[in-house]
Amino acid sequence: MAISLSSIARWSAASLLFTIYSDCCVKAATVTYDFNITWLPTNPDGQFERPTIGINNQWPIPQIRATVGDRVIVNVDNQLGNQSTSLHFHGLFQNGTTIMDGAAGVSHCGIAPGSKLRYNFTIDQPGTYWYHSHDAGQYPDGLRGPLIVEDPDAPYKDDYDEEIILTLSDWYHDSISYLMPRFLSVANPTGAEPVPNSALMNDTQNLEIAVQPGKTYLVRMINIAAFAGFYLWIEGHTFKVVEVDGVHTDPAETDMIYFTAAQRYSFLLTTKNDTDANFAIIGSMDQDIFDAVPETLNPNVTGWLVYDKKNPLPEPTLLDEFEPFDDFELVPADHEELYKNPDQTIDAFFNDVSYVRPKVPTVYTAMTTGDSATNPAIYGVNTNAFVLKKGEVVEIILNSADPGKHPFHLHGHNFQAVIRAEEEAGTYNGSTNFPAIPMRRDTFMVWPNSNVVLRFRADNPDKFCLSAPD
């Protein structure tokens, strides 16, 4: 996870730092990537050319691909010249290799200009992930891309013919170095996030995806946006959700999904048996999360399933309302039962209390203070630090007094989502009407002026952040 436009301020009262201590080690086979990170000019929406962070002088940046059990080595050479950087492999637990988590200042120092760093870790989680900078809000400048982990034992491995990777993202014409100071300025007292200039699908617009009739495709959807949530639908088609955030699920049929920044869905899409027409794929930014919507903004990005290039590409149909699938209803395929009897409960209020980055980076504090490293006070008053014991079941009651939707992501773990109250429900009322088999994922949304209850097992010793995706 990297720091988005919203998260330095929104990492505020919702930011929790977890420190757990233990030892482990992992061995695996090797896949190697060599990444030279540089600036290059791009114009993906056709409206404005701007400096963008690419890899090996290319943008969009390459996907990382591996198979469960592989050892992955990513050699990073920072040639940006004017900025440090890092890579976070969003959704991977890094159990035993948490120094590779990529959160600058928490798991390791940022990679200085002209410096190199080797990321070296084992992937033992199948599914759909992404990687991105986790240094000073940098990834909206372009340093973000898919990370796919193939699973030879996936429960749906025999149910599809081909795979499609599809990303959605917001796009800003201004750089983060320009936007961030204005976002955090006293001249922006409401904390209104900068509104994107456009939306992208696979880092472009007017995307065409060639498909064949009568086939089933595994579509891996990734929201790599800095801020925007998206509604996604494909005209004339339904699909079956089979994975969220690296968690295989029992199949769930729908015709529309909503996913926040950092969330991922995989679904099975079966094409029609004829080639008489092509069909629009629409990604629509959630305008409700924008404080003000510019008249010039087109919130939609459109692509097409192309059955026959000789047929026209139809304009998408306008919708009166959005009715997406409720991810809270998903059931993990492993049917893991509810974590009962939490050992520790953390009440987190998302309000106007600002997170303050510690003067001493967390990684330094944890590594140099000996026995005191388990005292949360040493990490700073406004870092909201909690120290957990390995193996504890931890419950987080997260109350949001904000009028907007907000996703939250925990490094190194998945949540069990045991309560998500309706919009405007206020603070948690103590309900214990928990599902026997809760939905599980690493990024979860709370409705406006509402609350969620999340549980996880502290089984990955080290330092982790809970925050708005960033």
Side-chain angles (χ1 to χ4, degrees), residues 9-10 182-183 185-193 291-292 351-352 402-403:
R10 298 211 164 176
R182 287 156 180 79
F183 170 52
S185 171
V186 293
N188 182 27
T190 64
E193 297 88 348
D291 286 64
N351 46 37
D352 294 326
D402 193 280

Side-chain angles (χ1 to χ4, degrees), residues 11-46:
W11 208 359
S12 57
S15 184
L16 306 174
L17 182 65
F18 299 103
T19 307
I20 318 162
Y21 295 89
S22 186
D23 298 305
C24 63
C25 71
V26 186
K27 297 180 180 179
T30 303
V31 178
T32 301
Y33 292 88
D34 296 314
F35 287 167
N36 184 18
I37 298 177
T38 60
W39 293 102
L40 68 158
T42 67
N43 186 5
D45 62 2

Side-chain angles (χ1 to χ4, degrees), residues 13 38 67 110 152 162 169 203 236 240 250 304 306 318 366 369 373 383 407 437 441 462:
T38 60
T67 300
E162 297 182 32
S169 62
D203 284 322
K240 293 180 181 178
D250 290 347
W304 288 270
V306 179
L318 295 177
T369 52
T383 58
I437 302 174
R441 66 187 314 167
D462 213 313

Side-chain angles (χ1 to χ4, degrees), residues 13 15-20 344-348 373-377 379 383-389 394 462-464:
S15 184
L16 306 174
L17 182 65
F18 299 103
T19 307
I20 318 162
Q344 184 171 169
T345 297
I346 297 170
D347 291 298
T374 57
N375 178 0
Y379 295 99
T383 58
N384 303 309
F386 291 84
V387 175
L388 313 176
K389 294 180 180 178
V394 181
D462 213 313
K463 308 164 293 297
F464 295 104

